[in-house]
Amino acid sequence: MTPEKLEYFKERLQDEQERLVQELRDLGHEDPHHAGHFEANYPETGGDSEDDNAQEVAEYADELSIEARAESELKDVEKALATIEKGTYGICKYCSKEIDEKRLEARPASSSCIECKKILTQEM
């Protein structure tokens, strides 16, 4: 991979990292006991009826799901940025072959090639 392409992917990953951190901050707050872990805020509608309580619980469950997905994506992005620093970005962590640039374009945080991903998800 050329140094220009590597810089391009690094910038994309850094932009994605910033976006995900902002999304997590919008959903809640950073857990002071676990660095890099966020907790969704419980929504308070102000009502005390059973319908209000049910709505709060449903909204909180949705936000927990979104928070978990965003945290997982953030970890993948941070791992990809670390591989850039190590000089191993774009190399499949399973078979050590180069990851196709088209795959990296679609998902810059990819850590595996298409073939290994298919095997892992049993799509073959």
Side-chain angles (χ1 to χ4, degrees):
M1 182 176 301
T2 67
E4 294 80 19
K5 268 295 191 185
L6 195 59
E7 185 61 29
Y8 164 77
F9 284 120
K10 182 177 181 178
E11 287 175 14
R12 285 199 50 203
L13 287 162
Q14 288 170 332
D15 290 346
E16 183 66 3
Q17 181 182 37
E18 288 176 27
R19 186 192 69 75
L20 288 165
V21 167
Q22 187 58 52
E23 182 179 339
L24 286 162
R25 286 185 179 142
D26 290 346
L27 284 171
H29 58 279
E30 195 161 358
D31 182 348
H33 305 292
H34 299 96
H37 179 71
F38 290 78
E39 294 180 356
N41 292 331
Y42 188 83
E44 292 287 342
T45 60
D48 282 333
S49 72
E50 286 184 28
D51 287 342
D52 290 336
N53 290 339
Q55 180 181 349
E56 289 173 357
V57 170
E59 187 177 327
Y60 184 61
D62 289 345
E63 288 183 1
L64 283 176
S65 176
I66 294 167
E67 179 259 332
R69 177 205 43 83
E71 258 189 26
S72 177
E73 288 179 21
L74 180 59
K75 286 178 187 173
D76 289 347
V77 166
E78 289 171 344
K79 286 177 188 176
L81 286 167
T83 63
I84 289 174
E85 297 305 314
K86 286 192 267 181
T88 58
Y89 180 76
I91 305 296
C92 178
K93 69 180 182 179
Y94 300 105
C95 69
S96 300
K97 293 180 183 174
E98 275 194 36
I99 299 171
D100 189 272
E101 269 190 38
K102 289 179 184 176
R103 176 158 171 74
L104 293 173
E105 275 292 338
R107 186 173 184 271
S110 294
S111 61
S112 63
C113 66
I114 293 282
E115 293 79 19
C116 288
K117 186 67 174 179
K118 284 181 180 180
I119 291 169
L120 289 170
T121 59
Q122 300 177 353
E123 290 180 5
M124 284 184 105

